[in-house]
Amino acid sequence: MEEAVEETTQESRNEYARNLVWTTFYFDEKTVNTCDVLLTRQFLVDRKLLKKSLATEPVGQDLETVRAKEELEQEMGKTEKTDSDEKLPTSFGSKKTTRPLPRSWLGWIEKMDSKAYWESINEYLIYKEMDEQGQEELLHKAVKSKPAMILPCHEKLKNYADDFVEIGAKYEDPGKRMEALAKFLERRCHQDFLALWASARTTRCRKYLAKMERLGIATGLNKKKFTVPDDTVTPLIDSDDSDDDGEEAAVEPQASSSVETQPIYDVLYEVYEEGAHLEMKLGAKSERPQAQAQPSVEEAATPVYDMANFSFAYDPEKDAQLLASNAYELFHMDKEIRKYWFQRYRLFSRLDQGVLMDREGWFSVTPERIASHIAQRMVTRPGMVIIDGFAGVGGNSIQFALHGAYVIAVDLDPIRLKCAKRNAEVYGVAEHIEFICGDFFHVLSQQRFQSGQSIIDAVFLSPPWGGPSYIFEKEFDIGTGCTPNGFDIFEAARRLTPNIAYFLPRNTKQNQIVHLAGPGGKVEVEQSCLNKKIKTITAYFGNLCQGAAK
C-alpha cells in the first residue's frame, strides 16, 4: 500500500497550492445572508506517467493519433511554445501602486451606511445653509465642522438651490425654516448616499465578473443587467477607476429548472495572487464530438454478460475485453477513446498489471495524481468512512483506501463496479472497500445510512458529466449536465454529512456552487492544474473547506 502511494507522489516536490480569490456573496440587499467562497489552484505534476504512456508506439498512426500525441508532448514541455503559450501567464489582479487614487474615489462609502454619513455631515451642511447673511460665527462653525469624507454633490449643493428658495418662502420664522431645511437635507443626503452606494456596488460587481472571466472561471452570472435593491434610486456616478472594458454586470443567476435559487445581490472580493492566470481553452461548438458517429465501435467494445448469473469475481477469459492494456486493439477506431489511450498511465499507473475499464471508464475516471491529491485532502485520519457515490471503475475509491480510509463504493452499473473491484485488488486495497451495486439515492435511503445508524465522515460525488462533449460548452450546468440531477445528488449527500467534495468540470457555473453552500455557508473551489493545464475543479464543503479571508 505504501509503495502505491509513493508511485503517485514521486513528483510532489514540484507541486504547490495557491490561493487566488476570496469572495463574499450577498443574498440580500441588507447584507445579512452571505456565503464565502475561496478559489484556490492546486498545481500537480505527472510528467513521468505521461512519458511512460507515450513510450509505446502503436502501429498505423493516423492524423488524429499524431495530434493526440503532439498535445501531450506539448504538455510535457517537449515542443516549442505556440503564440498562445507566449501570452501566459498574464497579469491578474495587479495592484496599481504607481497610480494615485483619483479625487473622486468613493471607496469609503462601502464601510458606512447613510445614517452614519448624515451624522458626520449634518452640522456642516446646516451651518453652511444658515449663513444667508454672511454671519462670521456660522461660517466659522461650518468650516470647523467640515467632515473629512463628503460626497462631491454635497460640497456646493447647487442641485438644491431651487428647493432652498421654495422652503424659505414657506416659513417666515427662522427657527421653523431651519428645521424644515434640516429635514430636507437629511432626506436628500440619505437618497444621494444610497444612489452612490448602489453605483459603487454595481461597479464592483462588474469588475469582479471581468476579472473572473480573465481567470477562466464560468460564473453563471448574467452580465447584461444589474438591478439595485431600490428601483427609485438612480446611480449618480460611474467610477472612472474601471478596468472592466465597459461590461455591465448582473448578480441574478440563471437558476436550474430543478432547484430554486436566491439571487445574488452583491459581492466583495480580495485577490490574493498576481500573475495567477492560466488560460482555459474550450473548443468551438462546431468541433463538438458527435455521439452517434461510431455506434458500432462502442457496441463492439462492450462485453456481453449474462446478467442473471453475473459475477463480480475476475475471470481472465470472460473479462478479456475489459483489460485496459488491450484497449488499443478494441478502441483504435474510436477517436474519443484514442486520446485517453495516449495518457493511460496517467489514469492508472498500474494499468499493465490487470486494470479493467469499460469504454465509459476511460473518459470518466479521475487521473490518478488528481485522485491522490483529493484523497490527501479528504482523509484527515486513519479509518474514517467515506462514501464514493459514483465510484465508476474505482479511481477515487482506490486512492481513498490507499490513504487510510474505509470506503463505501456505490455504482449503478455492475460491469463498472466489477472493474472497480478488480482494480482495487490490483492496488491491494480491496479489503478496505465495500462495493455496493445500486442507485445512489436508493442506497442512501437504506436504514444503515439513516441518522444514528451509521457514521459517515465524508461523501465524494463525481456523477457522470454526459461524456467528453461537456468541455466544449461555455458553461456547465450542475442541474442539467450531471446525470442524475446534480442538485438532487448534493441534497441527498448533505442529509448524511455536511462534509462533501463535489468533483466537477472546470467550466462549472460558479453561482450554482455558491447556492449549494447556501446563505451562511462557505465553500472552497479548487482548480486541479495538472502540468500547468487546468483539468477539473473540486468544491469542498463543510469541514473539508480550508482557508479563511485575510
Side-chain angles (χ1 to χ4, degrees):
M1 184 183 298
E2 294 179 357
E3 179 184 354
V5 173
E6 180 64 26
E7 289 181 4
T8 61
T9 59
Q10 56 184 339
E11 294 178 309
S12 59
R13 294 180 181 178
N14 297 322
E15 298 177 349
Y16 61 96
R18 171 180 286 168
N19 289 349
L20 298 181
V21 182
W22 180 277
T23 308
T24 297
F25 291 86
Y26 293 88
F27 289 96
D28 57 61
E29 61 271 23
K30 296 181 180 180
T31 64
V32 175
N33 295 317
T34 64
C35 177
D36 290 331
V37 180
L38 175 63
L39 176 62
T40 63
R41 180 173 288 159
Q42 179 68 38
F43 290 86
L44 303 170
V45 183
D46 70 346
R47 290 190 177 90
K48 290 185 178 180
L49 295 178
L50 272 185
K51 184 177 180 181
K52 182 180 178 182
S53 301
L54 293 168
T56 305
E57 296 285 347
V59 180
Q61 298 185 49
D62 57 11
L63 181 59
E64 293 293 333
T65 301
V66 172
R67 287 177 177 174
K69 288 193 61 179
E70 287 179 349
E71 180 181 350
L72 293 176
E73 287 174 350
Q74 182 175 331
E75 185 175 329
M76 293 173 61
K78 289 186 176 181
T79 58
E80 296 182 358
K81 293 183 178 180
T82 63
D83 293 338
S84 60
D85 293 326
E86 292 293 342
K87 300 177 183 178
L88 305 178
T90 58
S91 176
F92 171 71
S94 59
K95 297 180 180 179
K96 304 172 183 177
T97 55
T98 59
R99 179 182 175 185
L101 291 172
R103 295 183 62 185
S104 60
W105 182 76
L106 299 173
W108 51 269
I109 70 174
E110 297 177 4
K111 301 179 182 180
M112 183 183 294
D113 58 24
S114 60
K115 182 178 179 180
Y117 175 69
W118 169 249
E119 291 177 353
S120 69
I121 69 168
N122 66 81
E123 288 187 354
Y124 169 72
L125 293 185
I126 293 174
Y127 286 143
K128 186 176 181 180
E129 294 311 311
M130 285 175 64
D131 188 26
E132 299 175 348
Q133 301 176 358
Q135 301 177 32
E136 292 294 333
E137 181 182 357
L138 297 180
L139 180 60
H140 177 72
K141 288 183 178 180
V143 173
K144 187 176 179 179
S145 62
K146 184 175 181 180
M149 295 177 291
I150 186 170
L151 301 179
C153 60
H154 297 156
E155 287 279 6
K156 297 182 180 181
L157 300 176
K158 291 182 178 180
N159 297 331
Y160 304 159
D162 295 338
D163 297 296
F164 292 155
V165 173
E166 184 178 349
I167 293 175
K170 289 183 179 179
Y171 301 93
E172 295 182 0
D173 182 83
K176 291 184 178 181
R177 183 167 60 247
M178 292 315 302
E179 183 180 352
L181 179 63
K183 290 182 179 180
F184 167 78
L185 286 173
E186 181 178 6
R187 182 173 65 255
R188 289 299 301 267
C189 286
H190 177 78
Q191 294 174 350
D192 292 341
F193 183 90
L194 288 181
L196 290 165
W197 182 85
S199 179
R201 184 183 64 177
T202 303
T203 301
R204 182 174 62 247
C205 291
R206 187 164 62 238
K207 290 181 179 180
Y208 172 77
L209 291 176
K211 288 186 176 183
M212 292 301 100
E213 184 176 354
R214 288 192 219 107
L215 191 59
I217 304 300
T219 64
L221 300 174
N222 187 352
K223 300 178 182 179
K224 296 180 180 180
K225 185 179 179 182
F226 175 76
T227 304
V228 297
D230 187 357
D231 294 335
T232 64
V233 175
T234 303
L236 301 179
I237 65 166
D238 189 6
S239 173
D240 57 1
D241 184 24
S242 176
D243 59 353
D244 57 355
D245 300 326
E247 290 182 323
E248 291 295 330
V251 289
E252 187 170 344
Q254 300 170 353
S256 169
S257 58
S258 61
V259 63
E260 293 184 2
T261 58
Q262 295 175 285
I264 296 173
Y265 286 97
D266 196 4
V267 297
L268 287 176
Y269 64 95
E270 180 179 0
V271 179
Y272 287 162
E273 294 287 344
E274 299 179 13
H277 175 81
L278 281 181
E279 187 175 11
M280 182 178 70
K281 299 179 179 178
L282 302 180
K285 290 186 177 182
S286 60
E287 300 173 358
R288 188 180 309 162
Q290 300 297 322
Q292 68 274 18
Q294 303 176 42
S296 59
V297 175
E298 181 177 349
E299 293 173 2
T302 303
V304 179
Y305 289 93
D306 179 9
M307 301 310 296
N309 301 306
F310 186 82
S311 173
F312 287 95
Y314 174 62
D315 188 319
E317 295 184 2
K318 293 182 179 180
D319 301 331
Q321 282 186 288
L322 294 174
L323 271 175
S325 56
N326 299 333
Y328 189 80
E329 299 176 5
L330 297 172
F331 298 114
H332 69 280
M333 295 297 293
D334 191 326
K335 294 181 180 179
E336 287 185 348
I337 302 303
R338 201 162 34 186
K339 168 186 175 182
Y340 297 96
W341 166 259
F342 283 108
Q343 46 184 310
R344 57 195 180 280
Y345 295 112
R346 158 181 282 181
L347 306 180
F348 284 104
S349 58
R350 297 188 179 185
L351 184 133
D352 291 334
Q353 299 179 27
V355 166
L356 302 184
M357 279 196 286
D358 65 345
R359 184 181 185 278
E360 184 173 331
W362 278 94
F363 56 78
S364 62
V365 66
T366 306
E368 186 171 283
R369 187 63 202 98
I370 297 178
S372 176
H373 168 71
I374 294 174
Q376 292 174 26
R377 287 286 310 265
M378 294 187 65
V379 183
T380 56
R381 58 178 174 78
M384 66 182 300
V385 181
I386 295 179
I387 292 182
D388 187 352
F390 300 85
V393 296
N396 291 100
S397 296
I398 290 170
Q399 292 301 321
F400 292 142
L402 285 173
H403 285 78
Y406 181 79
V407 186
I408 301 175
V410 180
D411 202 278
L412 183 61
D413 190 297
I415 297 177
R416 211 159 294 134
L417 202 64
K418 178 189 183 79
C419 295
K421 183 175 182 298
R422 171 57 181 169
N423 297 340
E425 294 170 354
V426 171
Y427 279 80
V429 293
E431 66 274 14
H432 299 285
I433 305 176
E434 177 186 353
F435 298 93
I436 301 179
C437 185
D439 176 75
F440 173 74
F441 300 103
H442 177 71
V443 172
L444 263 59
S445 66
Q446 295 178 3
Q447 187 65 29
R448 58 175 290 194
F449 294 115
Q450 298 305 305
S451 178
Q453 300 296 320
S454 177
I455 298 177
I456 304 299
D457 295 294
V459 176
F460 177 74
L461 301 175
S462 179
W465 300 340
S469 61
Y470 74 88
I471 202 59
F472 295 94
E473 299 292 343
K474 183 178 180 181
E475 295 180 332
F476 180 84
D477 189 291
I478 295 177
T480 60
C482 293
T483 306
N485 182 286
F487 292 102
D488 296 339
I489 293 171
F490 184 84
E491 289 302 321
R494 188 157 57 179
R495 285 193 285 269
L496 290 182
T497 175
N499 305 323
I500 300 172
Y502 213 147
F503 190 67
L504 294 163
R506 65 191 185 191
N507 55 335
T508 301
K509 295 179 180 180
Q510 186 185 25
N511 71 311
Q512 294 186 336
I513 298 177
V514 172
H515 287 298
L516 288 178
K522 65 177 182 178
V523 58
E524 177 188 352
V525 182
E526 180 185 72
Q527 294 178 327
S528 297
C529 186
L530 195 57
N531 301 335
K532 295 185 178 181
K533 187 175 182 180
I534 300 173
K535 294 291 185 179
T536 58
I537 63 173
T538 307
Y540 297 99
F541 300 86
N543 293 334
L544 300 179
C545 176
Q546 297 182 356
K550 289 185 177 180

